[in-house]
Each structure stands twice: as structure tokens, then as C-alpha cells.
Amino acid sequence: MEIDSVAAGSCSKENQMIYKDWFEFADSDGDGRITGSDAIEFFSMSNLSRVELKQVWAIADAKRQGYLGFKEFIVAMQLVSLAQTGHEISHEVLHSDVDFKILNPPTMDGLDVLMAKKKHSSKSSDSNFNGSPVADPSLTAHWFSSKSSKEISLASVTSIIDGLKRLYIQKLKPLEVAYQFNDFVSPLLTNSDFDAKPMVMLLGQYSTGKTTFIKHMLKSNYPGAHIGPEPTTDRFVVVMSGPDERSIPGNTVAVQADMPFSGLTTFGTAFLSKFECSQMPHPLLEHITFVDTPGVLSGEKQRTQRAYEFTGVTSWFASKCDLILLLFDPHKLDVSDEFKRVISSLRGHDDKIRVVLNKADQVDTQQLMRVYGALMWSLGKVLNTPEVVRVYIGSFSDKPINEAATGPIGRELFEMEQNDLLSDLKDIPKKACDRRINEFVKRARAAKIHAYIISHLKKEMPAIMGKAKAQQKLMDNLEDVFGKVQREHHLPKGDFPNVDQFREVLSGYNIDKFEKLKPKMLQTVDDMLGYDIPELLKNFKNPYD
């Protein structure tokens, strides 16, 4: 599988050097990003119409980040060149017969003169080509230190993700800290949580082909991959891009500031010893990170307790992931108790779930129909949604499809299903920024509800006598407390946390020490949701809209 980067990858070295100089000229603040205002000024020299430039930006900024990095800038320049020679600009042109390696850079009126003036007025930089200019995510890392959190200017925000970071630090994080949201719901976000690549998590019983699926996508092995008929993956393995092939132990991964896994420290050393990161250089991993999981237990094995909270870990990863694949094979359709708990832990992330019926070439067409029906029946009892979940049928491995069992019709079906799933995976990087916004808004709403619950519990506590009894009574009647909060503040019932889990965490706290309701803090978050986020999206939309 390959993510679309055809034009940028097919640029000649000579043209790349030209584009590098152009990019550095257009990048007014030198942060490795061409923003909308930079683009309007620079692209106007192409003399293309506004409609054409709007299409150029839309294709180049396919991920809708609100800016162009160096690779996206090359795509934009090649599209401008094609438009100047009379080509119609569309996504299809990237996959057409055009040879991008011999495609000349576009004509930019007056650019040479302007660049000469700039070089004359500033010190000449090293003319050697030392790779691509890259937007440095660490430029915003210092925002998350307590000293600089109040000093973030709007001018330093050059992308949608930067804008979300600024809003989180200045408006949402104070509410989370005040009402201990990080202890009850989710750890505080860090810089790496915002900058992380999209993640795909694979869940399923042992030997349903999770590790083989990742290997099939990468078309190669990865460090720490074990494949066999019995439970072989006994740990959570994050497969991500890196300079060389290596495995990093879980405790080391959890303390690395440039990785979004610091929140996993809450599950303790017992979990971290069963967690590792596999790094390798691979073009697909530059866009997507895979999360391989241990096989969900079934039968007698369920009686053996894991040393860590398995469903808690899957829930944590589910909140971070962009896609969750539940894998089944025709001989393992039963949903065990642990699998049921795992699927329940995915509550609130239903839109991310896809079901894969793997190894479908092990049965003939007639049996496959029955297997599909049995799978839908099993899922219907576990997934409490009125909609039918999307099931992809296929055999996701490097072995050729077993046509002796499936016949020619089966082969055609598997190929179409595999293409559909690959399309879903290819869309992930393009939708990553939208997903970040979606998760951010969900988190803000959850933090608001949490603040209302905590402040209500505090209000119900007596001033002097009988505090222990009052706390116990509130905990016993937590469901009624949720109902009162919901009615008082007109909140959606489905957005409230799980009562039992909330009660369990609450038992370790003294309710009397909680904060009272702070209307100004809540109003700030409301303003952020109602005004700041829409304004942010408006500022970083296609500059030619």
C-alpha cells in the first residue's frame, strides 16, 4: 500500500533545488510552512486565475492542515506548471501519464528579481543542498511549559494544529487541572499528542492475522514481529517510522517527549513491560502508525488475569487512534467475555470501528455466506448500534488467494473488498487534521461535563458535620447525581461517563477538597467552542475561497 505522494516523489534533484530556494523565499517567517497569506503573495506571480489557484491549494493541502510543507509546495508548483501548459487541474493528474521528473518549473513573473533583491539585502546562505526544509514541531514544544503558557501570541500560530495547541493551553487545560480531569478521564495532553501521526489499532482474538495484516501492508517484516498459530504477540507493539530498524522498550517509550505515549505511565510497570515500539524506515509509516495488540483471550484462558488493565489500555489507544480494525477469522467467530469488554471499552469511538473477516479464503463460497451471517449475528449482540457495521471480507496476507476453495467469484470479491479497505486507510492521513479537531471538541465537552459533576458533588457536601456519610451517600447515588446535573445544565445523557468507572476513581478522593463551580472558566471553554475554533478554521481554510 502506498500513500499518494506521486508528484513530490517524482521531482528531479535539479528542480528540487530550485523549489527549495523558492520555498525559503516564500516562507516569510522561516518556520518551514507556507501559510495562506504567503501563498497568495507568491502564487500570484504565476498569473493563474483564482479558480485555478484554489484547486492547486486544495490538492496540495490534501490533509487540510492550513499550510504547505516543502513536499506539498513541490506538488503545488508542479500543478501550477501543468496549469500553465493547459492541463486541467484535478487529483487524477497526479496519477496521469505526465512525467514529473522532466516537468519544468512554472514561470513565475518577477520572482528572479525579487529573490536577487532579497539575497542582496541579507547574508548569503549556504548554497549546498542539504535536504528538504522541514516544519519543526519542537518550535511549539516550549508552549507546554508553565512559564510560557500565557505568552503564546496569535502570530506564532501558523497551522490549525498550532491553533488547537494554543487554545488547549490557554483555555481548556486550566479547566482540566482545576477539576482533576486528568485523573478521572484522560491524562493532560502534551505537544506530541497533537503532532502524532494518525494511528490504526488492530484488535482480535489470537491467530486472526493482526500481525500478518501489518506485515502485508508494509510488504516486509518489522522488528519484534512474531507470527504463529498460537498466541505469539504477547504485548502491545507500536509500529512507527524511524531512522533505523530497532525495538524500544515500553518504559523508555513512555518517557520520550517526542512520542505521544506518556499517558500510558498511568497503567504502571506491569503494562509497560508488555509494551514496545518498533521503528523502521518505511514510506507508509511516514503517514500512519500501526498498533498491534495481544490476542484477546477466549475459553479457559479468560480465567487467567492479566497483570494490567487490558480494557483500560485498549480504551486509551482507541481515544488516540484514527481507525480501529476488529479482526475475525471464519473459525473464530465467537465473541468471548474479554472481547465483549474490549468492544465495550470502545464506547464513544463507534465511527472509527471497521470489522475485517480475515482468512476468508479458508472456506468455500457457500460456507462464507453462513460465516458472514453468523458474524453479523455475533456482532449484533455486542455492538449496541442500530446501524449495520461495515465488514470487509478478504485474506490479508502475502500468500496468494486459495482459489480452490473460493473459486473465481471469491477472488474478485476479495480484491474489491481489499481495495475498499485500502481506500479507507489511504483516507486516514487526509482526514487526520479533521479528526484532531473532532477529538479536541469531544474532549472539551467531556471536560465541561466533568467540571459540572465535580462542582455539583462539592455543593452537596455539608459545611461541618457528617462529611464521611454524605460522601458515601453521594457515591451510592451517583446515577441520580448524574441525572440532576444533566437536567440542571441541559446536557446530553450520552456524553456522561460510565457510572461504575467514575465511582471507582471517586472512591480515592475527598469530595470536600474539590473545587466549586467556576462559571468564568466554563464560559471560556464555551467561547472557545462557539467562537475560537470556528475562527481558527476560517483563518486556515483555502486562501482562495
Side-chain angles (χ1 to χ4, degrees):
M1 174 188 160
E2 293 177 3
I3 301 290
D4 299 341
S5 58
V6 179
S10 304
C11 177
S12 71
K13 200 80 171 181
E14 293 77 22
N15 286 349
Q16 205 170 2
M17 290 176 73
I18 293 168
Y19 291 142
K20 178 176 178 280
D21 291 338
W22 289 8
F23 182 86
E24 289 173 350
F25 174 80
D27 181 13
S28 57
D29 55 2
D31 66 346
R33 294 169 175 173
I34 305 291
T35 57
S37 55
D38 292 335
I40 287 174
E41 192 175 333
F42 185 82
F43 288 5
S44 64
M45 292 183 269
S46 68
N47 295 323
L48 293 181
S49 70
R50 192 175 181 87
V51 174
E52 288 172 312
L53 291 174
K54 178 182 175 179
Q55 187 67 357
V56 166
W57 180 278
I59 296 170
D61 184 27
K63 296 179 184 177
R64 288 184 285 202
Q65 302 171 107
Y67 69 90
L68 302 182
F70 184 57
K71 281 188 176 181
E72 292 85 6
F73 178 76
I74 293 177
V75 175
M77 287 295 95
Q78 291 180 320
L79 291 171
V80 168
S81 182
L82 289 172
Q84 288 178 344
T85 54
H87 284 79
E88 187 181 343
I89 302 303
S90 66
H91 283 279
E92 286 69 35
V93 79
L94 298 180
H95 303 279
S96 65
D97 296 332
V98 176
D99 189 346
F100 290 101
K101 284 190 176 178
I102 61 168
L103 185 66
N104 291 324
T107 303
M108 307 296 281
D109 281 355
L111 178 58
D112 291 341
V113 176
L114 290 171
M115 286 182 70
K117 279 183 183 176
K118 187 176 180 181
K119 278 185 180 177
H120 184 70
S121 62
S122 62
K123 289 181 181 180
S124 60
S125 58
D126 183 12
S127 60
N128 292 327
F129 182 69
N130 295 319
S132 313
V134 177
D136 186 3
S138 63
L139 293 172
T140 58
H142 72 280
W143 291 3
F144 286 80
S145 67
S146 56
K147 288 182 181 177
S148 58
S149 61
K150 293 178 182 177
E151 301 166 8
I152 307 167
S153 67
L154 196 59
S156 61
V157 173
T158 56
S159 71
I160 289 175
I161 298 300
D162 281 359
L164 291 180
K165 288 179 188 177
R166 181 174 179 268
L167 290 175
Y168 176 71
I169 292 164
Q170 295 188 336
K171 302 200 171 183
L172 183 55
K173 190 178 178 181
L175 182 76
E176 292 186 359
V177 172
Y179 295 100
Q180 294 165 301
F181 180 80
N182 54 312
D183 293 333
F184 283 80
V185 185
S186 175
L188 298 174
L189 297 179
T190 63
N191 188 59
S192 55
D193 287 316
F194 287 94
D195 292 327
K197 292 182 177 72
M199 287 199 280
V200 177
M201 177 166 66
L202 291 90
L203 287 168
Q205 295 182 39
Y206 70 86
S207 197
T208 51
K210 300 183 294 295
T211 306
T212 306
F213 182 94
I214 297 174
K215 186 186 164 192
H216 178 60
M217 291 291 106
L218 300 177
K219 293 185 169 57
S220 68
N221 260 322
Y222 59 87
H226 301 291
I227 297 170
E230 278 300 304
T232 45
T233 305
D234 64 340
R235 58 193 62 230
F236 281 79
V237 182
V238 172
V239 188
M240 63 194 304
S241 179
D244 51 16
E245 291 195 14
R246 60 175 179 156
S247 289
I248 309 172
N251 283 287
T252 308
V253 175
V255 294
Q256 287 193 225
D258 60 340
M259 290 188 179
F261 305 113
S262 57
L264 290 170
T265 52
T266 56
F267 297 104
T269 309
F271 165 71
L272 292 175
S273 64
K274 292 289 184 183
F275 172 56
E276 70 178 40
C277 172
S278 285
Q279 287 190 332
M280 63 184 290
H282 194 283
L284 176 57
L285 296 177
E286 288 176 14
H287 301 274
I288 294 175
T289 295
F290 289 99
V291 182
D292 195 5
T293 61
V296 178
L297 301 178
S298 60
E300 281 297 313
K301 295 188 189 76
Q302 294 177 87
R303 300 181 190 278
T304 308
Q305 291 293 312
R306 297 183 194 263
Y308 57 90
E309 191 191 348
F310 186 72
T311 51
V313 175
T314 55
S315 180
W316 186 91
F317 272 110
S319 65
K320 304 283 180 187
C321 284
D322 294 66
L323 199 68
I324 302 164
L325 299 179
L326 299 182
L327 273 76
F328 294 85
D329 84 11
H331 304 110
K332 289 191 177 73
L333 295 178
D334 59 311
V335 178
S336 65
D337 291 344
E338 185 175 60
F339 205 0
K340 209 175 277 185
R341 289 195 297 272
V342 167
I343 293 172
S344 298
S345 74
L346 306 179
R347 175 177 169 262
H349 306 289
D350 309 51
D351 57 319
K352 303 178 184 178
I353 297 174
R354 305 287 185 275
V355 176
V356 178
L357 179 56
N358 199 16
K359 304 184 182 180
D361 62 344
Q362 293 182 355
V363 294
D364 62 35
T365 312
Q366 185 183 17
Q367 289 173 322
L368 183 59
M369 288 172 63
R370 290 174 179 165
V371 164
Y372 180 81
L375 175 60
M376 296 306 287
W377 178 80
S378 294
L379 290 171
K381 296 200 302 180
V382 183
L383 295 171
N384 298 317
T385 55
E387 298 86 8
V388 177
V389 68
R390 175 69 163 100
V391 178
Y392 296 98
I393 302 169
S395 182
F396 298 91
S397 72
D398 296 330
K399 295 177 182 175
I401 291 168
N402 180 14
E403 285 195 62
T406 61
I409 297 174
R411 182 185 180 84
E412 193 179 334
L413 170 70
F414 292 169
E415 285 174 355
M416 287 192 293
E417 290 284 292
Q418 182 156 330
N419 289 337
D420 285 352
L421 179 55
L422 292 183
S423 297
D424 229 351
L425 288 168
K426 282 182 180 180
D427 280 345
I428 292 171
K430 294 176 185 176
K431 295 176 180 175
C433 191
D434 294 337
R435 178 75 70 185
R436 287 275 186 280
I437 299 162
N438 186 53
E439 293 298 323
F440 186 83
V441 171
K442 270 167 67 175
R443 185 181 179 96
R445 288 182 177 146
K448 266 183 63 186
I449 288 173
H450 178 75
Y452 281 128
I453 293 169
I454 294 294
S455 57
H456 181 86
L457 290 168
K458 167 73 175 175
K459 189 176 75 173
E460 294 293 306
M461 289 293 284
I464 303 170
M465 303 288 287
K467 291 185 178 182
K469 278 187 180 178
Q471 173 152 340
Q472 190 57 49
K473 188 179 177 184
L474 285 168
M475 286 177 61
D476 292 340
N477 301 316
L478 203 54
E479 215 160 328
D480 296 335
V481 171
F482 282 13
K484 282 181 186 176
V485 173
Q486 184 210 338
R487 290 189 295 274
E488 187 180 340
H489 299 286
H490 311 290
L491 301 167
K493 190 176 181 180
D495 288 354
F496 276 72
N498 180 284
V499 175
D500 295 328
Q501 288 175 1
F502 196 91
R503 185 184 288 119
E504 190 180 335
V505 180
L506 186 63
S507 63
Y509 287 85
N510 183 349
I511 294 177
D512 197 45
K513 304 279 188 197
F514 286 158
E515 291 282 352
K516 292 179 181 177
L517 189 67
K518 296 183 176 179
K520 275 188 179 178
M521 210 173 252
L522 286 158
Q523 187 58 50
T524 299
V525 174
D526 280 334
D527 291 344
M528 178 189 78
L529 292 171
Y531 172 75
D532 294 327
I533 292 178
E535 190 66 18
L536 175 69
L537 299 180
K538 182 181 169 186
N539 289 342
F540 289 99
K541 67 178 183 178
N542 190 320
Y544 297 98
D545 275 346

